[in-house]
Amino acid sequence: MNATNERILSVSLDLFSEKGYSAVSIRDICKQVQIKESSVYYHFKNKQAIFDELISRFQKYAESMMKKLESVLNEQNNHLGDNFYMSVCDNFFENYLMDEFCNKVIRLLLIEQFHNAEAKKVYDYWIFTKPLNIQSEVFEMLIRMGILCKADGKYLAIKYYAPIFFFAQKWLFSGKLNDETKNGFRTDAYQYIQSFFAEIGGAYNG
Amino acid sequence: MNATNERILSVSLDLFSEKGYSAVSIRDICKQVQIKESSVYYHFKNKQAIFDELISRFQKYAESMMKKLESVLNEQNNHLGDNFYMSVCDNFFENYLMDEFCNKVIRLLLIEQFHNAEAKKVYDYWIFTKPLNIQSEVFEMLIRMGILCKADGKYLAIKYYAPIFFFAQKWLFSGKLNDETKNGFRTDAYQYIQSFFAEIGGAYNG
Amino acid sequence: MNATNERILSVSLDLFSEKGYSAVSIRDICKQVQIKESSVYYHFKNKQAIFDELISRFQKYAESMMKKLESVLNEQNNHLGDNFYMSVCDNFFENYLMDEFCNKVIRLLLIEQFHNAEAKKVYDYWIFTKPLNIQSEVFEMLIRMGILCKADGKYLAIKYYAPIFFFAQKWLFSGKLNDETKNGFRTDAYQYIQSFFAEIGGAYNG
Amino acid sequence: MNATNERILSVSLDLFSEKGYSAVSIRDICKQVQIKESSVYYHFKNKQAIFDELISRFQKYAESMMKKLESVLNEQNNHLGDNFYMSVCDNFFENYLMDEFCNKVIRLLLIEQFHNAEAKKVYDYWIFTKPLNIQSEVFEMLIRMGILCKADGKYLAIKYYAPIFFFAQKWLFSGKLNDETKNGFRTDAYQYIQSFFAEIGGAYNG
DNA sequence: GATGAATGAGTGTTCATTCAT
DNA sequence: TATGAATGAACACTCATTCAT
């Protein structure tokens, strides 16, 4: 559990998510892990492999997260479960955007998207495309059920998601993540969601 | 105008805004400017000074831009001029977010905010704080005039600005800026603004 | 026989004879032997010891080879046995220059003579000095027997051996050793030998 | 003339020709040139570029050498000039095999042919193919003129060249090149040539 | 017999910067 | 104004080797 392997990954993620991949040297990592530089290469083929492993783990985690969200959606057949929407939000906020590991990887991707085409693809998919798709599904379901009258679920999703994304940038992905910033985000986000659904038709059963 | 001085700045901005400050070497810059590396140091104290000059120029430009916007606001005393709001938007979009020079600097700040505390401060101020302040003033004015009934101008401003920011990220600050991306942004943004004001109370006189 | 010990030696010789001692890493060897790098050090003190063992085995083999050749010579007392000379050549070609193991070691020595004084000594002895000495003995015997009239057996030996050496370089020590290259060598070498003895006085009883 | 540029090349050639390309580090070179390691990269793109430049210069030199030899051949129309053959030999020995620069490059190629396919090609061409071609031309000319009766100029060339090559290996390409080794080579080579032409038909007009 | 883990010494290379000319 | 030449500090990475298990 405290294997060197994992310590390298953990320290690397910490540093990468603060300064970006290329601004962190193997020396920097080793200083914190308390091993010599050459030892890193016993555990990882090269610096890139550390990055890749982090991204790969993140993708596995994100995949399972999103699957869970989608299964919650699919369970709502004809009538909405109590607080079903809240549970989707909670999961997405607490176990994704504010999850210790996820938050750091997203931060890292946020930085690296500018240097690294692959990182950009991953970032776009897991921060834009995928969450928006799920959001669209939610709205389309609400429309199908006659709860929302608006026709275009996709555009609604963007409109809904943009402020969430905005608050996330403001609170969660700049500076350190701590209880204060987490609460800042929660307050802004939930307040916004409430007023959004109030406007849209009172469908929000909170 | 074709002074070496300016050519260094121009090439640097091009490269910095594509790959970030530290991913661009003096070599890279000189290759494009067609001078030798040592020559750079006749014109600038060091690499950082090139960056600083770019940021300084941007800030001067942004300052005058924002002053112009505020003066437009202050001219609207008791009754709104025709298309006053449109002119604020147009200016902000065309001469700021989509202005060749501004767009590149913002891109650069977007990248550098993660490595450089000063860059973060500048980015936050000119992309979040300042535009939101102006937006707030607009909404508060509309509320004062009785055109909007909503009480919280600041919150309204965020809600309004977030999707603009979102569309800007999507169209204007990833990949090259060209007519296609500009039009993509205009379409999304103006459509959103229209529906926003439609919901808020028909105050949008477009 | 399938002992790790032997597999290390075999793989090492293969690689050394292709790329030279220092261009082959312990990693490379272990990849092919399918053991971990640290395991090598159970069997050999260090990398050099692998090399040394190969050379030592080669020297033992060469020594016995040369002794056999000399005993063939010594058996020819007053009258030459049928095909005696042919048998010397055949042995030298087939069981030395073209022997799988010998060929690889000679290749290795050929490469290493430039980096390693000891290797140079071994190479010179077993490729030049010793073969030339035996050759000299042959010619001196032929002169003693009155078959050849030329006085200087040593110079004759060099003149005789040089093209053999040349053909060996051309066919046997560049690129892979296979039936095609072996036959190329045999053809050139035997044709040359025939014409050599034809010129020298018809002493070649083939 | 004492430009760093040239000093790097000169020292590199010295070291490369002694120990081979990869056994010589940039550090080794810099120690002798008395510059810092990073300075090398002002003059050459990388280590390989030093090697390439040396080979390129050698090839230019060899090309002009061989052209000169061929022009000597072409001048002999119907009757052989006095000592024409001697002049070909002298040139080839003194200005090629024993030329300070050439000798070192050939040594280097001799070593590198085993690690480097390109080096092998260059070595084979300038040490085997090209000299043998010229030698063949000589013999074919002598045959055309009726001075030699042997029909196969090519085979004759190999037979003639092999001992030269052998003596070169023995005297010129192992250990340092100095007056002693040069004289050793000259003695062996000229003695051999004399006896070769004596056997072949007295065509040697020395 | 074999290996997981670690390491010191070294390799080629990049980079921002300096300074005399 | 511009540049040729040089450099110190850093960087990612390789390699032979050691040692406890």
Side-chain angles (χ1 to χ4, degrees):
Chain A
M1 33 205 63
N2 228 11
T4 310
N5 195 13
E6 297 297 325
R7 268 160 52 226
I8 292 172
L9 283 171
S10 162
V11 167
S12 297
L13 182 52
D14 281 356
L15 295 175
F16 286 166
S17 68
E18 265 176 53
K19 318 187 190 181
Y21 175 77
S22 59
V24 173
S25 74
I26 294 282
R27 272 165 187 51
D28 295 334
I29 296 168
C30 292
K31 224 170 283 166
Q32 279 202 28
V33 181
Q34 301 244 41
I35 53 171
K36 303 297 170 183
E37 294 158 46
S38 48
S39 303
V40 169
Y41 295 88
Y42 176 75
H43 299 282
F44 296 93
K45 190 179 163 273
N46 51 28
K47 193 184 170 191
Q48 186 64 41
I50 302 176
F51 178 85
D52 291 345
E53 175 66 15
L54 290 169
I55 301 306
S56 154
R57 288 189 181 194
F58 165 73
Q59 285 187 292
K60 262 180 215 137
Y61 181 91
E63 219 143 349
S64 80
M65 256 299 304
M66 298 301 173
K67 275 212 178 102
K68 215 193 298 174
L69 291 189
E70 280 172 325
S71 75
V72 169
L73 288 187
N74 292 333
E75 279 165 15
Q76 321 295 118
N77 296 322
N78 289 331
H79 50 88
L80 297 176
D82 279 355
N83 292 324
F84 107 94
Y85 192 73
M86 208 49 169
S87 115
V88 170
C89 271
D90 277 2
N91 248 310
F92 186 72
F93 291 173
E94 303 294 330
N95 300 326
Y96 192 65
L97 298 181
M98 292 194 283
D99 172 78
E100 190 94 8
F101 171 74
C102 271
N103 184 273
K104 281 177 193 160
V105 177
I106 294 173
R107 237 171 242 261
L108 167 53
L109 289 169
L110 188 52
I111 304 176
E112 280 321 298
Q113 65 177 314
F114 303 108
H115 308 308
N116 179 328
E118 186 60 24
K120 178 157 181 53
K121 254 166 64 184
V122 176
Y123 179 75
D124 282 349
Y125 184 75
W126 291 107
I127 298 304
F128 289 115
T129 311
K130 191 68 190 173
L132 276 173
N133 274 351
I134 292 187
Q135 214 57 250
S136 293
E137 284 177 44
V138 173
F139 286 118
E140 269 153 22
M141 195 176 76
L142 295 176
I143 290 166
R144 251 191 344 266
M145 287 177 169
I147 294 168
L148 281 186
C149 52
K150 271 280 195 180
D152 187 356
K154 194 156 192 186
Y155 192 73
L156 211 58
I158 289 181
K159 228 157 130 180
Y160 165 79
Y161 187 58
I164 301 292
F165 174 74
F166 184 89
F167 294 135
Q169 294 274 31
K170 183 181 167 191
W171 292 105
L172 307 179
F173 299 113
S174 70
K176 293 265 173 197
L177 187 70
N178 54 37
D179 284 346
E180 198 191 321
T181 56
K182 282 180 179 178
N183 282 329
F185 173 74
R186 285 188 196 104
T187 307
D188 274 1
Y190 285 120
Q191 182 183 351
Y192 167 74
I193 291 171
Q194 215 146 12
S195 75
F196 177 88
F197 279 102
E199 281 167 22
I200 230 74
Y204 179 66
N205 52 349
Chain B
M1 28 214 66
N2 222 13
T4 310
N5 195 13
E6 296 298 324
R7 269 159 51 224
I8 292 172
L9 284 170
S10 163
V11 166
S12 297
L13 181 53
D14 279 356
L15 295 176
F16 286 166
S17 67
E18 263 176 54
K19 318 187 190 181
Y21 175 78
S22 60
V24 174
S25 71
I26 296 281
R27 264 185 214 10
D28 295 334
I29 296 168
C30 292
K31 221 172 283 165
Q32 280 201 27
V33 181
Q34 304 241 41
I35 54 170
K36 301 296 168 183
E37 290 151 71
S38 48
S39 305
V40 167
Y41 293 84
Y42 177 78
H43 300 282
F44 296 92
K45 191 182 161 259
N46 52 27
K47 193 184 169 190
Q48 186 64 41
I50 302 176
F51 179 85
D52 292 345
E53 173 66 13
L54 289 169
I55 301 307
S56 153
R57 289 187 181 195
F58 166 74
Q59 286 187 288
K60 264 178 215 138
Y61 180 91
E63 219 143 349
S64 80
M65 253 301 303
M66 298 300 174
K67 275 211 177 100
K68 214 192 301 175
L69 290 189
E70 280 170 327
S71 76
V72 169
L73 288 187
N74 293 335
E75 280 165 15
Q76 321 296 118
N77 297 321
N78 287 331
H79 50 90
L80 296 176
D82 278 353
N83 291 325
F84 109 92
Y85 191 73
M86 206 51 168
S87 115
V88 170
C89 271
D90 278 359
N91 247 310
F92 186 70
F93 291 172
E94 304 294 330
N95 300 325
Y96 192 65
L97 297 181
M98 293 193 281
D99 171 78
E100 191 95 4
F101 172 74
C102 271
N103 182 273
K104 282 178 193 159
V105 177
I106 295 172
R107 235 173 247 261
L108 167 54
L109 290 168
L110 187 54
I111 304 176
E112 280 322 295
Q113 65 175 316
F114 303 106
H115 308 307
N116 180 325
E118 184 61 23
K120 176 156 184 53
K121 255 167 62 185
V122 177
Y123 178 77
D124 282 350
Y125 184 74
W126 292 107
I127 298 302
F128 289 114
T129 313
K130 191 67 189 175
L132 276 173
N133 275 353
I134 292 187
Q135 214 58 250
S136 294
E137 286 176 43
V138 173
F139 285 117
E140 270 153 20
M141 196 176 77
L142 296 176
I143 290 166
R144 254 192 341 268
M145 287 178 170
I147 294 168
L148 281 186
C149 52
K150 272 281 194 181
D152 187 355
K154 193 157 192 184
Y155 192 72
L156 211 54
I158 288 181
K159 224 157 132 182
Y160 165 78
Y161 187 59
I164 302 292
F165 174 73
F166 185 88
F167 294 134
Q169 293 272 32
K170 183 182 168 192
W171 292 106
L172 307 180
F173 299 113
S174 71
K176 294 263 171 197
L177 188 69
N178 55 38
D179 284 346
E180 199 191 320
T181 56
K182 283 179 178 179
N183 282 330
F185 173 73
R186 286 188 194 107
T187 306
D188 274 2
Y190 285 120
Q191 180 184 355
Y192 167 73
I193 293 172
Q194 214 147 9
S195 76
F196 178 88
F197 278 102
E199 280 166 18
I200 230 74
Y204 176 66
N205 51 350
Chain C
M1 28 217 66
N2 223 13
T4 310
N5 195 11
E6 296 299 324
R7 268 160 53 224
I8 292 172
L9 284 170
S10 163
V11 166
S12 297
L13 181 53
D14 280 355
L15 294 175
F16 286 166
S17 67
E18 264 176 54
K19 317 187 190 180
Y21 175 77
S22 61
V24 173
S25 71
I26 296 280
R27 264 183 214 12
D28 294 334
I29 296 167
C30 292
K31 221 171 283 162
Q32 279 201 27
V33 181
Q34 304 242 41
I35 54 170
K36 301 296 170 185
E37 290 151 70
S38 47
S39 305
V40 167
Y41 293 85
Y42 177 78
H43 300 282
F44 296 92
K45 189 181 163 264
N46 52 27
K47 193 185 170 190
Q48 187 63 42
I50 301 176
F51 178 87
D52 292 345
E53 173 66 14
L54 289 170
I55 301 306
S56 154
R57 288 188 182 194
F58 165 74
Q59 286 186 289
K60 262 179 216 138
Y61 180 91
E63 219 142 350
S64 80
M65 254 301 302
M66 297 301 173
K67 275 212 178 100
K68 214 193 300 174
L69 290 189
E70 281 170 326
S71 76
V72 169
L73 288 187
N74 294 333
E75 279 166 14
Q76 322 296 118
N77 296 322
N78 287 331
H79 49 91
L80 297 175
D82 278 353
N83 292 326
F84 109 92
Y85 192 73
M86 207 53 171
S87 114
V88 170
C89 271
D90 277 0
N91 248 310
F92 187 70
F93 291 172
E94 303 295 329
N95 301 325
Y96 192 65
L97 297 182
M98 293 194 280
D99 172 78
E100 191 96 4
F101 171 73
C102 271
N103 184 273
K104 281 179 192 158
V105 178
I106 294 172
R107 239 171 243 259
L108 167 53
L109 289 169
L110 187 54
I111 304 176
E112 280 322 295
Q113 64 176 317
F114 304 106
H115 308 308
N116 179 325
E118 184 60 24
K120 178 156 183 51
K121 253 166 65 184
V122 176
Y123 178 77
D124 281 350
Y125 184 75
W126 292 108
I127 299 302
F128 290 115
T129 313
K130 191 67 190 176
L132 276 173
N133 276 351
I134 292 188
Q135 214 57 251
S136 294
E137 285 176 43
V138 171
F139 286 117
E140 272 152 19
M141 196 177 78
L142 295 177
I143 290 166
R144 251 190 345 266
M145 286 177 169
I147 294 168
L148 281 186
C149 50
K150 272 279 193 178
D152 188 354
K154 194 158 194 185
Y155 191 72
L156 211 56
I158 289 181
K159 225 156 133 182
Y160 166 78
Y161 187 58
I164 302 292
F165 174 73
F166 185 90
F167 294 134
Q169 293 273 30
K170 183 181 167 193
W171 291 107
L172 306 179
F173 299 113
S174 69
K176 293 266 172 195
L177 187 70
N178 55 37
D179 284 346
E180 199 191 319
T181 56
K182 282 179 180 178
N183 281 330
F185 174 73
R186 285 186 194 109
T187 306
D188 274 1
Y190 285 122
Q191 181 184 352
Y192 167 73
I193 293 171
Q194 213 147 13
S195 74
F196 178 88
F197 279 103
E199 281 165 23
I200 231 74
Y204 177 67
N205 53 349
Chain D
M1 34 206 64
N2 227 9
T4 310
N5 195 11
E6 297 297 325
R7 268 160 52 226
I8 292 172
L9 284 171
S10 162
V11 167
S12 297
L13 181 54
D14 280 356
L15 295 175
F16 286 165
S17 68
E18 265 177 53
K19 318 187 189 180
Y21 175 78
S22 61
V24 173
S25 75
I26 293 282
R27 273 160 182 61
D28 294 335
I29 295 168
C30 291
K31 224 170 282 165
Q32 278 201 27
V33 181
Q34 301 244 43
I35 53 171
K36 302 298 170 183
E37 294 157 46
S38 48
S39 303
V40 168
Y41 293 87
Y42 177 74
H43 300 281
F44 296 93
K45 193 181 161 268
N46 51 28
K47 193 185 169 190
Q48 187 64 42
I50 302 177
F51 178 85
D52 291 345
E53 174 67 14
L54 289 170
I55 300 306
S56 156
R57 288 188 182 196
F58 166 73
Q59 285 187 291
K60 261 180 218 139
Y61 180 90
E63 218 143 348
S64 79
M65 254 301 302
M66 298 301 173
K67 274 210 181 104
K68 215 192 301 176
L69 291 189
E70 280 171 327
S71 75
V72 170
L73 288 188
N74 293 333
E75 279 164 16
Q76 320 296 119
N77 296 322
N78 288 330
H79 51 88
L80 297 175
D82 279 353
N83 293 323
F84 108 93
Y85 192 73
M86 209 52 173
S87 114
V88 170
C89 270
D90 277 1
N91 248 310
F92 186 71
F93 291 173
E94 304 295 330
N95 300 325
Y96 193 64
L97 297 182
M98 292 194 281
D99 172 78
E100 190 95 5
F101 171 73
C102 270
N103 183 272
K104 281 177 192 160
V105 177
I106 295 172
R107 236 172 246 261
L108 167 52
L109 289 169
L110 187 54
I111 304 176
E112 279 322 296
Q113 64 176 318
F114 304 108
H115 308 308
N116 178 328
E118 185 61 24
K120 178 158 181 51
K121 252 167 65 183
V122 176
Y123 178 76
D124 281 350
Y125 184 75
W126 291 108
I127 299 303
F128 291 115
T129 312
K130 191 69 189 173
L132 276 173
N133 275 351
I134 291 187
Q135 214 56 251
S136 294
E137 284 176 44
V138 173
F139 286 117
E140 270 153 21
M141 196 176 78
L142 296 176
I143 291 167
R144 252 193 341 267
M145 286 178 171
I147 294 167
L148 281 186
C149 51
K150 270 282 193 177
D152 187 357
K154 195 158 191 185
Y155 192 73
L156 211 57
I158 290 181
K159 225 157 135 182
Y160 166 79
Y161 187 58
I164 302 292
F165 174 74
F166 184 90
F167 294 134
Q169 293 273 31
K170 183 181 167 194
W171 292 105
L172 306 180
F173 299 113
S174 70
K176 292 265 174 196
L177 187 70
N178 54 37
D179 284 346
E180 199 191 322
T181 56
K182 280 179 181 179
N183 282 329
F185 174 73
R186 284 187 196 107
T187 307
D188 274 2
Y190 285 120
Q191 182 184 354
Y192 167 74
I193 292 172
Q194 215 146 12
S195 75
F196 178 88
F197 277 102
E199 282 165 16
I200 231 73
Y204 176 66
N205 54 347

